[in-house]
């Protein structure tokens, strides 16, 4: 393996013509330069220099190696510049996992903002439900997770995760247009005790919200259809297959269903960005976090 530090000396010799001049340029002694050039010849197994008095001339092998040295050293310089930019948070890639409505509300606007002020920062987005994004974060698969605060989120891992609040939003009742309560200004959950329900899959915090709120209203919801995609949930409601509780920003309103506020104290979800403890100090992660916090969605 050729030592790149010796390539630097060879390039200096080619540029300045004498061992002494190369030594002065590199702040080394002539003896040290000569030793390094001899070591480089031993590494490549060929003579690189022909000495002519005080000057030296490169052999054909030496000329060839100088051209490679220029390319290698240029790449090393580019690497150093890229690392310096990464350390300053001005270039690099950050992976963010988020559920769909937060991508719309927070992540996409943050990407637009970063394009203006940090164009060399690349954000890779992965669609993931709130409970899955935290698991991905703890596994080191992503840099930032957008998740939601609820009893089934990873409270036990508070020492491993630093959270940054983004926004809080209520859950609304979603009903078919021909439902008896469609004209109500708000809906008490107890009035839906006989309805069939559409909810996310088990393990999704939003399913737990629906179950707990219905139990607090005095009944266990009859969950007959499941989907983690709120767009699909809304379509199933519009098709008349049941009712649902859906976070307000996840309701499109263009599928034929209608939404109404929950009477009384509405259930809410608190959406936050999370990073592994200490990672918020990384300049590159901090740049993306700041952009997310500037676009807190539903607020």
């Amino acid at each position: 393996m050729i030592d790149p530090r010796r390539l630097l000396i060879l390039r200096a010799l080619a540029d300045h013509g004498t061992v002494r001049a190369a030594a002065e340029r590199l702040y080394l002694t002539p003896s040290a330069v000569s030793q390094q050039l001899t070591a480089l010849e031993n590494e490549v197994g060929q003579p690189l220099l022909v000495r002519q008095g005080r000057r030296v001339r490169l052999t054909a092998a030496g000329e060839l190696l100088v051209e490679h040295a220029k390319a290698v050293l240029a790449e090393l310089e580019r690497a150093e510049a890229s690392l310096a930019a990464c350390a300053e948070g001005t270039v690099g890639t950050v992976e963010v996992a988020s559920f769909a409505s937060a991508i719309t509300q927070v992540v996409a606007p943050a990407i637009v903002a970063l394009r203006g002020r940090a164009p060399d920062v690349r954000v890779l987005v992965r669609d993931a439900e709130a409970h899955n994004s935290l698991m991905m974060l703890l596994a080191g698969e992503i840099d930032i997770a957008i998740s939601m605060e609820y009893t089934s989120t990873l409270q036990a891992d508070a020492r491993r995760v630093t959270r940054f609040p983004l926004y809080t939003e209520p859950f609304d009742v979603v009903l078919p247009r021909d439902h008896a309560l469609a004209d109500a200004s708000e809906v008490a959950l107890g009035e839906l005790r006989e309805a069939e329900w559409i909810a996310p899959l088990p393990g999704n915090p939003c399913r737990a919200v629906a179950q707990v709120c219905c139990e607090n209203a005095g009944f266990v919801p009859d969950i007959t259809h499941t989907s983690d995609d709120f767009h699909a949930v809304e379509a199933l409601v519009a098709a008349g297959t049941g009712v649902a509780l859906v976070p307000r920003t996840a309701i499109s309103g263009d599928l034929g269903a209608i939404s109404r506020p929950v009477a009384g104290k509405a259930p809410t979800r608190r959406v936050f960005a999370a990073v592994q403890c200490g990672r918020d100090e990384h300049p590159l992660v901090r740049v993306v976090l700041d952009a997310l916090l500037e676009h807190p969605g539903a607020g």
Side-chain angles (χ1 to χ4, degrees):
M1 180 70 69
I2 298 174
D3 188 333
R5 292 171 296 182
R6 290 170 182 154
L7 291 179
L8 179 64
I9 292 173
L10 181 66
R11 186 182 68 177
L13 180 67
D15 289 342
H16 300 284
T18 68
V19 168
R20 181 174 296 279
E24 290 175 355
R25 179 68 179 82
L26 297 173
Y27 302 101
L28 296 172
T29 65
S31 175
V33 168
S34 294
Q35 290 174 7
Q36 292 298 314
L37 290 172
T38 299
L40 181 59
E41 287 181 318
N42 292 334
E43 285 178 341
V44 302
Q46 298 183 54
L48 301 174
L49 307 172
V50 175
R51 288 165 176 79
Q52 298 175 326
R54 293 185 178 182
R55 299 186 66 83
V56 293
R57 177 175 58 83
L58 294 172
T59 64
E63 295 281 3
L64 179 64
L65 189 56
V66 165
E67 292 306 309
H68 285 291
K70 291 176 182 178
V72 169
L73 294 170
E75 282 301 314
L76 289 173
E77 288 164 4
R78 277 192 283 271
E80 289 178 353
S82 294
L83 288 170
C86 182
E88 295 171 0
T90 58
V91 65
T93 299
V94 175
E95 292 196 54
V96 178
S98 173
F99 52 90
S101 60
I103 292 175
T104 302
Q105 296 290 319
V106 177
V107 180
I111 290 174
V112 173
L114 285 169
R115 191 175 295 129
R117 67 171 179 258
D120 292 324
V121 174
R122 186 184 184 202
V123 179
L124 296 183
V125 182
R126 298 173 63 176
D127 191 320
E129 294 303 320
H131 55 302
N132 289 330
S133 66
L134 285 177
M135 297 300 296
M136 293 163 65
L137 179 69
L138 292 174
E141 298 175 21
I142 57 171
D143 300 296
I144 301 174
I146 308 298
S147 189
M148 62 172 282
E149 187 79 50
Y150 196 66
T151 53
S152 59
T153 57
L154 295 176
Q155 301 294 332
D157 291 293
R159 292 183 180 179
R160 299 176 61 190
V161 171
T162 302
R163 305 178 185 214
F164 300 85
L166 293 173
Y167 62 90
T168 300
E169 66 174 325
F171 284 72
D172 288 338
V173 175
V174 182
L175 304 167
R177 286 193 177 277
D178 60 358
H179 195 278
L181 297 172
D183 294 330
S185 60
E186 57 183 21
V187 175
L189 292 182
E191 297 181 88
L192 300 173
R193 66 178 64 248
E194 301 300 327
E196 292 185 341
W197 283 76
I198 305 159
L201 296 167
N204 189 316
C206 290
R207 181 187 177 105
V209 170
Q211 290 176 313
V212 170
C213 290
C214 289
E215 289 168 5
N216 289 341
F219 69 99
V220 175
D222 178 17
I223 297 174
T224 54
H225 302 279
T226 58
S227 175
D228 281 336
D229 184 336
F230 284 122
H231 201 68
V233 169
E234 192 177 347
L236 288 170
V237 172
T241 64
V243 301
L245 268 179
V246 177
R248 185 167 291 171
T249 60
I251 301 170
S252 69
D254 59 4
L255 297 175
I258 62 170
S259 62
R260 296 290 181 263
V262 176
K265 186 177 181 180
T268 60
R269 68 173 175 181
R270 296 177 294 280
V271 179
F272 60 87
V275 298
Q276 291 198 44
C277 285
R279 285 283 290 168
D280 56 308
E281 299 300 326
H282 188 290
L284 187 58
V285 173
R286 188 73 243 180
V287 165
V288 178
L289 267 176
D290 288 344
L292 292 169
L293 294 171
E294 289 172 7
H295 298 83

